[in-house]
């Protein structure tokens, strides 16, 4: 265990170094969520008749989950670049454990997700978005936990398709928008058709979005928060398990 923790720390430090040196990469992955926030939130307010502040109260938590998914789902491309350049193979022959190579990479996803979430919250507060401090802390913790699992799954996909870069992006783009829509990041799925609600019930991000909305409304003890926490933990555990198996087989 001490060796695993030390190896994981080494990999984590290695993965964080480029993000610290080039923070633009973190900002770049926010472009899509910010576009949705700037264009869809006013449209949602106009359609529902709610004020901008009220529409943001429902929309911002969904955007935070969207930012988490979009950012983490793309990280496997970095591993693909390393495989093409040969640096990944050089890592595989080092004394670093295979599980640590995956877990260290996955833990790195926490930092950009939290930075992006804080920026989005800071941008929307002046426009009336109201946040509960306790809900903010718990909500960020759930996002960070989910990011670990999603990042690990992205790395597993990169390992599965290896040098076929087109295959990675084909799978990523094919899964991205159905997951977002079935999570209810844009609008709640309460009035959706029965088949869509049934499909959403199999999407862990759906429970995370509901939990984030409850948390930012100050309902920390709401049942949806517990369901979201379970979904986040299962996503993290499942993603790390799949990713570790893929790394060991690499």
């Amino acid at each position: 265990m001490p060796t695993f923790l030390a190896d994981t720390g080494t990999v984590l430090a290695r993965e964080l170094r480029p993000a610290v040196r080039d923070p633009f990469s973190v900002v770049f992955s926010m472009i899509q969520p910010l576009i949705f926030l700037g264009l869809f939130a006013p449209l949602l307010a106009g359609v529902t008749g709610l004020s901008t502040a009220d529409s943001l109260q429902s929309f911002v938590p969904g955007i935070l989950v969207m930012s988490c998914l979009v950012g983490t789902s793309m990280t496997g491309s970095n591993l693909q670049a390393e495989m093409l350049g040969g640096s990944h193979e050089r890592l595989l022959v080092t004394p670093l454990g295979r599980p640590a190579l995956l877990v260290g990479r996955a833990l790195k996803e926490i930092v950009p997700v939290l930075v992006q979430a804080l920026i989005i919250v800071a941008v929307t507060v002046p426009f009336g978005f109201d946040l509960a401090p306790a809900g903010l802390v718990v909500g960020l913790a759930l996002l960070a936990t989910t990011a670990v699992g999603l990042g690990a799954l992205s790395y597993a996909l990169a390992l599965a398709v290896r040098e076929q870069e087109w295959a990675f992006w084909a799978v990523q783009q094919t899964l991205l928008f159905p997951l977002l829509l079935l999570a209810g990041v844009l609008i709640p799925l309460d009035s959706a058709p029965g088949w869509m609600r049934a499909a959403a019930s199999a999407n862990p991000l759906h429970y995370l979005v509901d939990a984030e909305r409850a948390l930012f409304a100050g309902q920390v003890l709401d049942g949806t928060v517990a369901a979201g926490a379970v979904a986040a933990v299962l996503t993290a555990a499942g993603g790390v398990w799949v990713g570790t198996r893929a790394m060991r087989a690499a």
Side-chain angles (χ1 to χ4, degrees):
M1 181 61 72
T3 302
F4 170 74
L5 294 177
D7 289 351
T8 300
T10 299
V11 176
L12 176 60
R14 174 185 180 272
E15 292 299 313
L16 284 176
R17 201 170 294 119
V20 174
R21 291 177 179 173
D22 183 22
F24 178 76
S25 59
V26 177
V27 177
F28 179 77
S29 61
M30 293 182 59
I31 292 178
Q32 191 176 59
L34 287 176
I35 289 176
F36 271 87
L37 187 62
L39 298 180
F40 197 84
L43 178 64
L44 182 63
V47 171
T48 61
L50 298 173
S51 65
T52 301
D54 289 337
S55 63
L56 285 176
Q57 208 62 39
S58 172
F59 193 56
V60 170
I63 286 296
L64 295 180
V65 176
M66 177 181 181
S67 177
C68 175
L69 175 60
V70 171
T72 56
S73 66
M74 296 190 299
T75 54
S77 63
N78 298 329
L79 179 56
Q80 273 197 316
E82 290 190 9
M83 288 190 288
L84 290 172
S87 59
H88 178 65
E89 281 68 21
R90 289 192 290 271
L91 275 178
L92 292 178
V93 298
T94 65
L96 294 171
R98 298 291 177 90
L101 289 175
L102 186 282
V103 175
R105 288 178 179 273
L107 289 175
K108 183 269 294 184
E109 303 306 323
I110 293 176
V111 175
V113 164
L114 292 183
V115 170
Q116 292 168 2
L118 290 173
I119 291 175
I120 291 173
V121 170
V123 168
T124 54
V125 164
F127 295 94
F129 178 64
D130 187 24
L131 57 93
L136 173 64
V137 173
V138 178
L140 292 179
L142 295 185
L143 286 175
T145 303
T146 305
V148 172
L150 294 177
L153 290 172
S154 183
Y155 292 128
L157 174 60
L159 290 166
V161 300
R162 298 192 69 79
E163 289 85 1
Q164 296 175 316
E165 187 176 1
W166 65 268
F168 174 86
W169 291 113
V171 175
Q172 189 260 0
Q173 290 295 313
T174 300
L175 295 177
L176 180 63
F177 288 102
L179 285 173
L180 289 175
L181 293 174
L182 291 176
V185 297
L186 301 179
I187 55 175
L189 298 176
D190 299 335
S191 58
W195 65 266
M196 185 175 290
R197 292 198 302 271
S201 65
N203 182 6
L205 296 181
H206 170 64
Y207 302 99
L208 181 62
V209 171
D210 286 346
E212 295 291 330
R213 287 188 172 125
L215 287 167
F216 282 100
Q219 302 167 1
V220 180
L221 300 179
D222 193 87
T224 57
V225 175
V230 171
V233 171
L234 290 178
T235 300
V240 170
W241 182 77
V242 171
T244 301
R245 287 178 61 89
M247 188 66 76
R248 281 176 172 162

